[in-house]
Amino acid sequence: AAMALARARARCAPSCAAVSRVAPSSSSVRRCCAAHGQSGGSADVAGRRGALSLGATAAAMAVLSLPDPLSAGAYGLGKKPPPPPTLFGREVFGSSAKPKSFNLEKARALGEARREEKAEEEQPGELVELPSGLKYREIDVGTKGAAIEAGSVVGIRYIVYRLSSGAYFKYSSGGKPVFLWSLGYGNEGQDDVGDLYTFTLGVTGDLPRAVPSALVGMRKGGRRRVLVPPQLGWTDDSMRPRPITFGAKRRLVQHRDEPLLFEAEVVAVYPPGSDEANDALQRAFDVSRREAAFRLPLPKPLTAPKSVAE
């Protein structure tokens, strides 16, 4: 029987030999050889195809019949499945992990804090409301020199802003300012760094009507931003201070009927009637008269050529 099995292994196709190794019995080999059509002679093509199919089936059965320790799973022996995929720290693709709980109160508190930070960036300083209803923000508190009072001669640098669309009623909590014009800061390419606007507090026309009461009590180094309602602002062309550049003049004409912001930085304060006050007013008057006297040069008159005159 052993010699017959060896001869059958030699005659059969490689697939039959594989069958004989998996199931080494003479009956299995005889069935494989019979499928090949080899009764001890030539091979048949159809029989070989059948033997290949039988060999594949036997190999699959042999793999499935292996003991459990050798049949490793998809992730290897003793290994846990990998964690679910994440995107920006969050699980995706149908993860079975439970979503984190959402704290509504905490989210509301964070939103309020962010809103306050944004309002502080847009409108710095403490908001103060006068008994008349006018409002201003105390950005910097001055500590040097005399305080501003009625009749004081004051020298300031200033910036005029307009509020963004719909921000008038939000002035107490925000409202982004938009630049219109300034004096003393060198904005818009102007050579005016260090220049001052000098006025006497209480003189009609030197400041918009909403500003004087908000400047009372300020000292040198102080800075306040005053909300100027349209009816108390630049209501006519005689109201000062006025912009110098053409673009600033056009912006004032376009937005004079809107609420504006007048930010004043106090540089000098002179008591009423003092020699320093009179000198400051005289310097301011000389500058204003010199600016008003400036005119563009007239074109030269046309003269006929000498040939035509002759």
Side-chain angles (χ1 to χ4, degrees), residues 9-31:
R9 286 178 177 175
R11 290 194 306 268
C12 289
S15 59
C16 294
V19 173
S20 66
R21 285 194 297 270
V22 174
S25 63
S26 58
S27 58
S28 299
V29 175
R30 282 194 296 271
R31 284 197 300 272

Side-chain angles (χ1 to χ4, degrees), residues 155-297:
I156 64 172
R157 290 192 290 260
Y158 69 87
I159 305 177
V160 180
Y161 299 97
R162 69 175 178 87
L163 294 176
S164 58
S165 301
Y168 176 62
F169 298 103
K170 299 190 302 179
Y171 179 67
S172 60
S173 61
K176 183 177 179 61
V178 181
F179 176 84
L180 289 183
W181 85 90
S182 67
L183 176 70
Y185 294 99
N187 294 323
E188 294 188 301
Q190 296 298 306
D191 187 17
D192 61 359
V193 176
D195 291 354
L196 300 180
Y197 175 65
T198 304
F199 60 92
T200 301
L201 191 69
V203 175
T204 303
D206 280 356
L207 290 172
R209 292 166 55 197
V211 176
S213 58
L215 300 184
V216 174
M218 294 185 68
R219 299 177 186 270
K220 182 179 179 180
R223 188 157 58 106
R224 289 179 182 176
R225 182 179 293 178
V226 186
L227 176 64
V228 182
Q231 68 276 14
L232 300 178
W234 284 264
T235 53
D236 54 60
D237 294 338
S238 64
M239 188 63 64
R240 296 182 297 273
R242 307 293 299 181
I244 299 176
T245 65
F246 176 75
K249 291 178 180 179
R250 291 197 60 182
R251 289 193 291 269
L252 177 60
V253 172
Q254 293 172 354
H255 302 286
R256 66 193 307 173
D257 296 330
E258 303 175 8
L260 302 178
L261 298 175
F262 185 85
E263 181 178 309
E265 180 183 358
V266 178
V267 179
V269 180
Y270 305 107
S274 62
D275 294 338
E276 294 85 354
N278 296 330
D279 293 342
L281 288 176
Q282 186 63 40
R283 289 194 299 270
F285 176 76
D286 292 342
V287 170
S288 299
R289 184 172 57 185
R290 184 167 59 252
E291 290 179 350
F294 175 77
R295 295 288 185 273
L296 290 174

